Amino acid sequence: MKIAHVITALNVGGAETMLAKLVEHERSRADIDSCVISLMTPGVGADRIRASGVPLHGCGLDGPLALPAALARLRAIIGRERPDMVMAWMYHAHLAAVLGTRLHERSIPLIWNVRHSIADLSQEKPATRAMVRLEALLSRVPHRIIYNSHAAAQQHERLGFCVARTTVIPNGFDCAHFRPEAGCRERLVERLGIDPNSLIVGMAARNHPMKDPATLVEAVRLTREAGTDIHLLLSGEGMDRPTGDLAEALQTIPADRVTLRGHDKALAEWAPGLDLLVLPSAWGEGFPNILGEAMSCGVPCIATDVGDSRFVIGDTGVIVPPRDPAGMAKAIMALGKLGPDGRRKLGQAARHRVREEFAMDKIGALYTALYDSVYGAAAPQRSRSQPATRQAQVM
C-alpha cells in the first residue's frame, strides 16, 4: 500500500516530528510505501525525512499568489506517485488535499490528521478561525479524521467536525533513542557550568505565549525564595532571545542559575540529565511530544492541565492548572523533596508508561490498521472509478 503524506510545511514542530517518525516506521515495513509532499518549500524539518530515504516533494506555496500553481503541482505529484491513500497533516494541507484528491481522475481515500487543540476558538488567528469553520463543513469528505489527543477530538467535535469520522491515535516514541543514560547529569553539569547541588529543571519548547515560559520562570523564582536551589534550562526556538514577559521574568533569577539555548536537535543527549521536565503551556497543546520524550528518558514531568497532558503523564508526574506559578512552584518543591532516588523511581514508572502505551511500534501498528480499514471501506468506490489493474512501478 502506498501512502502520500501531505503537510503544510516542514519546519520545527510536533506535527513534523511525528510525521518523520511515522514515515521512518513505514519505511521499515515491506507492505507500506510512503512519500511526503510539503505545500511550502521544505524547511529544516525535512532533513530527517530525507535521511530516512522517503521521497520528498515540495509544491512551492511561498505566498498567496503561488496558490494556484502549488495546487497544480500537488495534483501532478499525486498523479505521478499514484498513492492508494492520502493523509493530510494540519489545516491548510487538509483543504489542499481535498482539492488534490477530488480533482483527480480516480478516487483516492483521504485522511485528515489534526495536530492542534482548540480550547477557545477566539484565541486563534482570524484566518485559522475561518479555516476551522470551513473544515467543519467539509469534515464528512475525509474517510477518517485522526486526532492525536482526546482533548482535541472533543474540542473539534464541539466545533462541528463529524463525530463519525473521529479516530484518536496518540503520538509515538522511539524508546531506544530516548532512554535513561548513566552519567548524563554529570556531563550536563560540566558542559553548562551548573552547580551540581542545584535541582536541574528543564523546559524544551519554542518561545511562544502558548507555551508560557514566563509562568515557569515565576514558579522557579517562588521555589528559590522558599529555599530550593534551582538551575533553570530553557531550550527551544527563540528561548535564547527572550523578549517581553519572559525577558522581564528572567531578571528575577540569578544569571548563574539560568541557561538559555535555541532549538537543539540533540535533545536525547541531554534530556536524561534533567532532574525534572516542566511544560507550562497556557493553551493549545494536543499530545505534547516533549512529555513522552522526557518520560522515555526516565525524567519525571510536571505539566499544566492542557490538552492530553494529564492522560500522557498518568500517575508518573504532577499536573497543575495553567497560568498558576504558585501551584507549579509547589509541584516543583514536592518532586524536589523526593531526592534523587525518589525521582529515579518516578522516572522509571514514567518510562514504563511510555513503553506500554506510546512506543512507536505500537502507534505505528494503529496507523497501519487504520490504513487497512479505510482502504477496505473505500474498495467499492475505488472499483467504480479506476481500472482493476494498476501500472507497475519501477523501483
Side-chain angles (χ1 to χ4, degrees):
M1 184 183 303
K2 187 163 190 176
I3 312 297
H5 297 277
V6 180
I7 191 166
T8 305
L10 285 170
N11 296 308
V12 178
E16 293 89 340
T17 298
M18 184 58 202
L19 172 58
K21 288 187 287 189
L22 182 58
V23 296
E24 287 169 350
H25 172 79
E26 292 172 355
R27 181 74 170 175
S28 70
R29 296 180 59 102
D31 57 340
I32 298 180
D33 187 16
S34 304
C35 69
V36 175
I37 307 170
S38 175
L39 297 181
M40 301 177 68
T41 300
V44 297
D47 294 345
R48 183 171 175 181
I49 291 173
R50 290 192 183 100
S52 73
V54 172
L56 173 63
H57 309 275
C59 295
L61 181 58
D62 296 325
L65 296 179
L67 181 58
L71 290 175
R73 291 190 191 99
L74 173 62
R75 184 176 181 275
I77 293 168
I78 291 175
R80 291 197 305 270
E81 291 287 346
R82 295 186 61 81
D84 297 300
M85 194 174 305
V86 170
M87 181 151 69
W89 300 62
M90 300 191 292
Y91 297 131
H92 291 82
H94 296 165
L95 295 179
V98 168
L99 294 175
T101 56
R102 293 302 175 210
L103 295 178
H104 222 270
E105 66 273 9
R106 63 190 180 91
S107 177
I108 306 173
L110 174 63
I111 299 173
W112 284 356
N113 202 320
V114 177
R115 316 302 296 179
H116 187 57
S117 68
I118 304 178
D120 183 352
L121 190 60
S122 67
Q123 291 179 326
E124 304 295 331
K125 296 178 181 178
T128 302
R129 293 199 296 268
M131 190 164 297
V132 169
R133 293 189 178 107
L134 175 58
E135 292 193 9
L137 298 175
L138 296 173
S139 61
R140 290 187 177 276
V141 172
H143 291 71
R144 287 286 191 280
I145 304 176
I146 298 174
Y147 302 92
N148 68 338
S149 70
H150 297 87
Q154 294 165 4
Q155 291 161 359
H156 283 78
E157 288 170 358
R158 286 197 294 269
L159 291 169
F161 279 60
C162 180
V163 176
R165 300 290 192 267
T166 295
T167 300
V168 177
I169 302 181
N171 289 347
F173 301 92
D174 182 350
C175 297
H177 181 62
F178 288 97
R179 66 185 188 278
E181 188 174 344
C184 187
R185 188 182 195 277
E186 289 74 17
R187 291 193 296 274
L188 189 65
V189 163
E190 181 178 0
R191 179 182 175 186
L192 301 181
I194 297 173
D195 185 333
N197 296 313
S198 62
L199 185 72
I200 305 176
V201 175
M203 173 185 177
R206 71 186 188 278
N207 181 11
H208 188 279
M210 182 182 80
K211 301 296 184 179
D212 198 14
T215 285
L216 173 57
V217 176
E218 174 62 11
V220 167
R221 183 189 70 80
L222 294 173
T223 307
R224 288 181 55 80
E225 285 186 353
T228 301
D229 185 16
I230 291 178
H231 189 102
L232 178 61
L233 171 57
L234 299 179
S235 177
E237 184 179 358
M239 287 295 191
D240 53 342
R241 303 183 304 277
T243 58
D245 292 344
L246 177 59
E248 183 177 346
L250 285 168
Q251 297 299 314
T252 67
I253 308 295
D256 65 347
R257 289 299 188 269
V258 178
T259 298
L260 303 177
R261 307 181 70 189
H263 174 66
D264 189 349
K265 295 181 181 179
L267 177 66
E269 296 179 7
W270 59 263
L274 298 175
D275 294 318
L276 299 175
L277 185 286
V278 182
L279 183 63
S281 300
W283 78 89
E285 293 291 355
F287 187 113
N289 274 307
I290 186 57
L291 293 182
E293 291 165 348
M295 291 167 63
S296 188
C297 289
V299 178
C301 295
I302 298 169
T304 49
D305 198 2
V306 177
D308 266 19
S309 293
R310 180 182 293 275
F311 166 68
V312 177
I313 290 178
D315 59 359
T316 71
V318 181
I319 294 293
V320 298
R323 297 190 179 96
D324 182 2
M328 187 169 291
K330 184 178 179 181
I332 293 172
M333 286 187 284
L335 295 190
K337 290 177 181 177
L338 292 178
D341 290 340
R343 289 191 296 274
R344 188 176 302 110
K345 291 179 181 178
L346 198 59
Q348 290 171 347
R351 177 171 170 79
H352 178 75
R353 177 167 175 76
V354 173
R355 294 181 67 178
E356 290 297 310
E357 302 292 338
F358 313 121
M360 191 59 223
D361 58 343
K362 296 183 178 181
I363 299 304
L366 294 178
Y367 272 92
T368 301
L370 179 64
Y371 297 159
D372 291 340
S373 173
V374 170
Y375 191 70
Q381 181 181 8
R382 192 168 58 249
S383 64
R384 291 194 301 269
S385 61
Q386 69 181 43
T389 59
R390 297 182 57 206
Q391 182 179 353
Q393 291 182 322
V394 179
M395 303 300 289

